[in-house]
Amino acid sequence: SSFSVTYDTYLFTWHSTQPITDAESLAFRVAQGGAAKTDSTYTRAVLGRNDSGSTHHNSATNNNVIYLTGTGVGNASVDEHSSGNLWVYNPLSSAVTGILFQTWVNNQGNEVYTYYAAGSYHGNNTALTGGQFLYSSGNVSNGEFLLYGLAKS
């Protein structure tokens, strides 16, 4: 994906994604100059709830990705998948880039999880040029990813 001066806010959506390897977490990285940034300058705070009412929350700093799921996503059937939305605000700025996301996971045993979270990238104060989605195993086997740019007002 590519960011441009035409937009200052971007919305990524993903639908029914699955990892190649079972029970992996979906993650996001920003890119600069076409290369994903793998330095340990990502942060996140996550609040989640499953369909039985159990809550899940965590936060992390100094990661090399922003994890979008707090639980592994299955790949055994079409019912096991992840879908969600991720907003990137002002990526061409040299300041910290804000990232908000909401994720739905239907994993092994048909448990449904919903996550609401925020994260950021505290890189080297250079404009971002895009983003990358990956599972902790590295590979996505199925699903659709879309990118929308919101026009400046």
Side-chain angles (χ1 to χ4, degrees):
S1 64
S2 297
F3 299 144
S4 76
V5 296
T6 306
Y7 308 106
D8 56 4
T9 302
Y10 290 86
L11 169 62
F12 289 94
T13 65
W14 63 96
H15 307 281
S16 302
T17 66
Q18 292 179 309
I20 292 234
T21 306
D22 194 35
E24 298 292 335
S25 295
L26 183 63
F28 179 77
R29 285 184 174 136
V30 298
Q32 289 178 331
K37 298 301 292 178
T38 60
D39 50 343
S40 296
T41 56
Y42 294 90
T43 63
R44 76 171 190 289
V46 177
L47 174 62
R49 185 174 205 92
N50 69 11
D51 56 356
S52 64
S54 298
T55 58
H56 170 83
H57 53 86
N58 66 47
S59 62
T61 59
N62 303 320
N63 282 343
N64 66 357
V65 296
I66 294 176
Y67 282 107
L68 305 176
T69 57
T71 187
V73 178
N75 70 354
S77 73
V78 295
D79 292 334
E80 296 181 351
H81 63 272
S82 171
S83 299
N85 302 308
L86 182 139
W87 294 86
V88 178
Y89 297 97
N90 207 19
L92 299 180
S93 168
S94 60
V96 171
T97 297
I99 300 170
L100 295 175
F101 55 93
Q102 179 180 22
T103 307
W104 301 270
V105 175
N106 189 4
N107 72 351
Q108 302 93 332
N110 280 334
E111 270 189 317
V112 176
Y113 289 84
T114 301
Y115 297 98
Y116 299 94
S120 62
Y121 174 74
H122 298 268
N124 58 3
N125 297 329
T126 302
L128 303 176
T129 57
Q132 174 193 37
F133 288 88
L134 64 152
Y135 276 96
S136 47
S137 63
N139 297 316
V140 176
S141 69
N142 292 312
E144 178 179 46
F145 293 87
L146 301 170
L147 173 62
Y148 300 94
L150 280 71
K152 295 181 178 184
S153 54

